[in-house]
Amino acid sequence: MMIDLTAQEPIPEAGVQAALALLRSGKMHRYGEASGVPAEAAMLESEFAASLGRRYAVGLNSCGSTMFLALKCLDVGPGDTVLSNCFTLAPVPGAVAHAGAALRLVDVTDDLTIDLDDLERKAAEGGAKMLLLSHMRGHIADMTRVTDICARHGIGLVEDCAHTMGAGWEGKPTGTFGAVGCFSLQSYKHANGGEGGLLVTDDDDIAARAVLHSGSYMHWRGHQVRPPDEVFERWKYVTPNFSLRMSNLVAAIVRPQMGQPLQDRCTRWNERYHWLAEGLARLPGVYLPQRDAREQYVQSSIQFLVRERSAEQMRHFVHLAAKGGVNVKWFGADDPVGFTSNWKSWRYADMRQDLPQAARVLAGLCDVRIPLTLSRADCEAIVAVIGRALADAQQTQALA
Ligand SMILES: Cc1ncc(COP(=O)(O)O)c(C=O)c1O
């Protein structure tokens, strides 16, 4: 058996047609100087902002650059400290480095959310300007407590929603709790544009700065949802153009994936997640993160913790699972592999972090993608392969 966990569904026919129409017109750049017709990128921005109940959305070329711009537009720079959860992926510390700020990592719980007691402690130390909260792999912390901690300590909040498009906390969408929400349109995320990012905010100055930084030149009126002209006038001479614009082609492909199609996909992801979770939870030595009833998650991947295995046994398990056709990613590896890395390999940042739980949690943390192409039988087969690989890895070690 070999299941392609990177499989994607085709782009909806309406997206293919919109892309073809764009290719035929040749008008690939979002800022047309002559046409009165709103660009695909501008329409995606207004539709996305409306779907979240936020005033503005700004289209960018990735979620990584969106997080960087969010920090820039909140005046984070050299000399500032940004708190961020240690369980995340490389674009998050990368965005902090891009802004020139120092990274202070916050611990992770067994349920894979940010450790709120550690956050409280590190916030209370003073000195942190911002929390860049990554809803990593779709695990959403208690947002009531997160926002309360940030408010009490005067810390701004930016949300990394690369894994939570369509998700929420107590009925409020992620990306709307802090000053800025950052979304990804990369393949493997919840809407597939190949690459792309969306910055959402209610703040006039942040929106205008993000538009100018993104590389709008003086074409800000090409944005349907935008602050008044006087806000742009305030910023136009002092905001460098970083050329991080969204391509019209990405927007054309993504627009037909939003709204009801996105909701339908979220339902199908969670259906597959529950099939896998039921099976994995029954395997000896496996812990499935517990979820708060207030969390409206969308799981396009599944995480589980393997208890009481050595690093050697974990390596062997990953190897045996791969031989069985299932690509399990392991967050406890010493070296970064493929898309997966852990905080110990982000050595451009300060490595003197105090994270009492991270080593133990990450040592057993495994991750499997959930393509929508999986059937129930595929999910059962995946659980069987993982179960066998776990048992065999333990057996071999016992014999050795
Ligand atoms: C947790 C997390 N945040 C942010 C990103 C950045 O997304 P992008 O690839 O659109 O820059 C990723 C990408 O995989 C991610 O995993």
Side-chain angles (χ1 to χ4, degrees):
M1 179 191 73
M2 183 56 77
I3 294 176
D4 180 6
L5 294 173
T6 64
Q8 294 285 327
E9 293 193 308
I11 301 301
E13 189 50 30
V16 172
Q17 290 306 325
L20 286 174
L22 201 62
L23 293 172
R24 291 195 176 109
S25 77
K27 298 206 162 173
M28 314 303 291
H29 198 282
R30 67 170 294 170
Y31 299 115
E33 287 184 301
S35 136
V37 182
E40 292 280 355
M43 290 193 279
L44 174 63
E45 288 165 345
S46 50
E47 290 157 3
F48 192 65
S51 75
L52 292 180
R54 287 225 122 171
R55 292 170 71 204
Y56 308 119
V58 182
L60 296 157
N61 62 357
S62 74
C63 179
S65 48
T66 305
M67 293 185 287
F68 155 64
L69 270 201
L71 296 174
K72 272 311 259 189
C73 296
L74 286 157
D75 293 317
V76 173
D80 292 325
T81 296
V82 176
L83 298 172
S84 194
N85 30 330
C86 67
F87 174 47
T88 187
L89 281 175
V92 179
V96 177
H98 197 174
L103 179 68
R104 178 103 163 94
L105 291 170
V106 182
D107 219 346
V108 58
T109 67
D110 282 29
D111 296 322
L112 304 185
T113 50
I114 191 167
D115 183 324
L116 293 171
D117 295 330
D118 195 41
L119 176 63
E120 176 81 56
R121 190 168 64 77
K122 286 171 180 163
E125 283 168 359
K129 185 165 188 172
M130 203 61 56
L131 169 63
L132 175 52
L133 176 67
S134 184
H135 300 299
M136 174 61 176
R137 289 293 190 250
H139 298 273
I140 305 167
D142 178 340
M143 292 308 292
T144 313
R145 275 194 69 195
V146 169
T147 47
D148 172 62
I149 293 171
C150 287
R152 273 190 290 105
H153 297 285
I155 293 172
L157 175 63
V158 173
E159 294 174 75
D160 164 25
C161 305
H163 302 165
T164 57
M165 186 184 282
W169 175 265
E170 280 198 305
K172 187 170 158 64
T174 61
T176 65
F177 287 87
V180 183
C182 307
F183 292 83
S184 178
L185 300 173
Q186 188 218 88
S187 304
Y188 312 122
K189 304 294 189 293
H190 297 179
N192 177 8
E195 296 284 1
L198 283 160
L199 178 152
V200 295
T201 186
D202 279 339
D203 185 278
D204 282 349
D205 289 285
I206 293 172
R209 294 171 77 179
V211 166
L212 291 166
H213 272 316
S214 79
S216 67
Y217 301 81
M218 295 300 124
H219 288 300
W220 65 75
R221 290 199 195 91
H223 289 244
Q224 287 189 307
V225 282
R226 64 177 188 277
D229 281 356
E230 58 265 29
V231 186
F232 288 95
E233 294 296 341
R234 275 208 290 278
W235 291 104
K236 72 178 186 187
Y237 292 111
V238 290
T239 307
N241 173 332
F242 292 145
S243 274
L244 304 169
R245 288 172 304 272
M246 175 178 283
S247 148
N248 254 349
L249 191 56
V250 167
I253 290 168
V254 164
R255 284 183 61 220
Q257 299 179 42
M258 298 306 214
Q260 195 57 46
L262 173 66
Q263 278 179 33
D264 293 344
R265 295 180 97 206
C266 293
T267 307
R268 290 167 57 217
W269 262 309
N270 282 350
E271 187 178 33
R272 280 148 189 79
Y273 168 73
H274 290 296
W275 292 337
L276 287 164
E278 268 173 37
L280 291 172
R282 281 199 292 268
L283 298 177
V286 167
Y287 175 79
L288 265 286
Q290 299 301 295
R291 317 216 62 148
D292 193 300
R294 292 169 290 177
E295 186 190 7
Q296 285 112 31
Y297 54 83
V298 177
Q299 285 301 144
S300 53
S301 61
I302 187 162
Q303 292 68 44
F304 55 95
L305 274 69
V306 178
R307 303 280 203 210
E308 286 159 22
R309 300 286 162 96
S310 66
E312 199 41 50
Q313 284 174 317
M314 288 302 294
R315 262 190 293 278
H316 198 202
F317 157 61
V318 171
H319 168 74
L320 290 177
K323 261 178 68 181
V326 177
N327 181 15
V328 174
K329 296 164 187 186
W330 175 43
F331 279 91
D334 289 334
D335 296 316
V337 180
F339 285 114
T340 311
S341 61
N342 70 37
W343 72 273
K344 288 203 169 152
S345 47
W346 308 328
R347 294 183 197 160
Y348 46 83
D350 190 342
M351 286 289 99
R352 290 164 302 172
Q353 305 280 346
D354 50 326
L355 302 165
Q357 293 166 168
R360 179 183 56 76
V361 174
L362 298 181
L365 179 52
C366 299
D367 180 31
V368 176
R369 277 191 205 283
I370 309 181
L372 285 170
T373 48
L374 291 184
S375 65
R376 182 159 200 160
D378 291 332
C379 292
E380 284 161 6
I382 289 170
V383 172
V385 168
I386 291 175
R388 239 183 345 263
L390 274 173
D392 289 352
Q394 201 173 23
Q395 199 62 27
T396 322
Q397 290 299 312
L399 293 175

